[in-house]
Amino acid sequence: MYGNSARNSQLLYIQPSSGEKSNLFREAIYGAGSDLMKTELSAYKDKLLGSAGSAYVNTNISRYFSDPRYYFEVNEQYVKSKLKVILFPFFHRGHWMRTTETIAGKLTYKPPIYDINAPDLYIPLMAFGTYLVLSGFFMGINEKFSPEALGVQCVNGLLCWTSQVLLLEATLHTLGDGDVLLLDVVAYGGYTFAPVSIVVIARFMCRYCFYVASLWQCLSMGMFFVKVMKRILIAEVRSCEKHSSKRHYLLLLVAVAQFPLIFWLGNAGL
């Protein structure tokens, strides 16, 4: 009986190899280090911001930033329909309000693939890339192309995009008090590069085409932004400016600002 017990104990005990010992040791050290790092970072954040500040950051950062993947949920039909709204807003017969849905008891906006009025970042990024490609192509035709010149063109485009975002943010903060997501405003500002790409093509067809296309696209973007801003002020903010005259003047300023921005992007460096 004692012999069987000794054999069983020998069978149950397996001496780990040196490699397994080192792996177990590394895993233990890594786990301890990871937990220690998380603990220290959390303690440092609480020390830096305080418990109230840390809670504020955790609960309020989502008020201004959302999941970036939301802005890339698009398909071919959405892109075509959205471009028609951007380039020809005067012919848009549908409503301008965003579609909502309830998920886990919380009211949210449907992604772009299900709502043509939802903002996206796919079209702005693709339009910005198209603008740079067209600019480089036409600079090459005019024997002005160089990496530095294309870099300057990229900086000009980013400055214009930033100006649009600042203009829209300033208007929203002046007229309303709400939690409009920053990426929403970035997406709206980036739509400018869709009509600008058309203007760049028209510029190299003839001078007459350039002026006609620029005028139409400036009016279109002005109309688009006025409609979008009105919708945001009505449906997406907690409160808005009640003085209609002030709101009309600021919305008119947003529309008029499209003329110098689009004309400048259509001519800059080309």
Side-chain angles (χ1 to χ4, degrees):
M1 179 177 67
Y2 292 104
N4 293 334
S5 177
R7 284 195 298 271
N8 291 336
S9 63
Q10 291 176 357
L11 290 173
L12 292 174
Y13 177 75
I14 300 176
Q15 180 71 23
S17 63
S18 58
E20 292 174 343
K21 285 182 179 180
S22 61
N23 289 335
L24 292 173
F25 179 75
R26 284 197 300 269
E27 291 176 0
I29 293 296
Y30 176 78
S34 178
D35 293 338
L36 180 62
M37 184 180 297
K38 292 178 181 178
T39 303
E40 291 297 326
L41 288 175
S42 178
Y44 179 76
K45 182 181 69 173
D46 292 337
K47 182 179 179 180
L48 180 64
L49 301 175
S51 58
S54 178
Y56 178 84
V57 170
N58 291 334
T59 57
N60 289 278
I61 192 171
S62 61
R63 294 170 58 188
Y64 304 101
F65 295 93
S66 59
D67 187 357
R69 293 175 296 181
Y70 169 90
Y71 299 92
F72 293 94
E73 294 185 34
V74 301
N75 57 12
E76 183 179 356
Q77 183 60 41
Y78 166 82
V79 172
K80 291 180 179 179
S81 301
K82 190 73 170 190
L83 287 176
K84 291 179 182 178
V85 174
I86 296 171
L87 300 177
F88 307 100
F90 300 100
F91 302 115
H92 180 56
R93 300 306 179 192
H95 62 83
W96 291 83
M97 304 300 291
R98 295 176 65 177
T99 306
T100 59
E101 62 181 348
T102 303
I103 299 179
K106 183 179 179 182
L107 191 65
T108 60
Y109 292 110
K110 287 187 176 182
I113 192 173
Y114 301 116
D115 182 13
I116 191 176
N117 295 317
D120 72 281
L121 286 172
Y122 175 82
I123 292 178
L125 291 175
M126 292 298 103
F128 182 71
T130 302
Y131 168 71
L132 292 180
V133 170
L134 291 173
S135 299
F137 177 74
F138 289 123
M139 282 191 292
I141 292 178
N142 292 333
E143 299 181 354
K144 297 180 180 179
F145 179 82
S146 68
E148 293 78 12
L150 189 60
V152 170
Q153 201 74 2
C154 180
V155 172
N156 290 337
L158 292 176
L159 286 176
C160 179
W161 198 341
T162 304
S163 300
Q164 288 278 40
V165 172
L166 293 177
L167 176 62
L168 297 177
E169 281 282 3
T171 304
L172 290 173
H173 282 288
T174 302
L175 294 178
D177 178 21
D179 302 328
V180 181
L181 296 175
L182 177 61
L183 290 181
D184 283 10
V185 183
V186 171
Y188 292 132
Y191 288 140
T192 305
F193 293 99
V196 166
S197 298
I198 303 297
V199 171
V200 171
I201 295 175
R203 185 180 187 276
F204 285 87
M205 294 175 63
C206 68
R207 205 66 183 174
Y208 176 77
C209 293
F210 168 73
Y211 287 118
V212 172
S214 297
L215 181 61
W216 174 261
Q217 297 304 334
C218 289
L219 292 173
S220 297
M221 284 308 299
M223 175 72 171
F224 176 79
F225 279 131
V226 167
K227 290 290 188 181
V228 169
M229 297 292 281
K230 280 186 175 181
R231 183 201 69 205
I232 293 175
L233 292 172
I234 293 173
E236 299 182 29
V237 299
R238 291 193 299 265
S239 62
C240 64
E241 179 64 50
K242 300 301 182 182
H243 302 292
S244 59
S245 60
K246 181 179 180 181
R247 182 170 65 181
H248 292 335
Y249 284 131
L250 286 176
L251 292 179
L252 180 61
L253 174 63
V254 171
V256 172
Q258 305 312 307
F259 286 83
L261 286 174
I262 291 179
F263 268 96
W264 178 57
L265 282 177
N267 275 301
L270 300 178

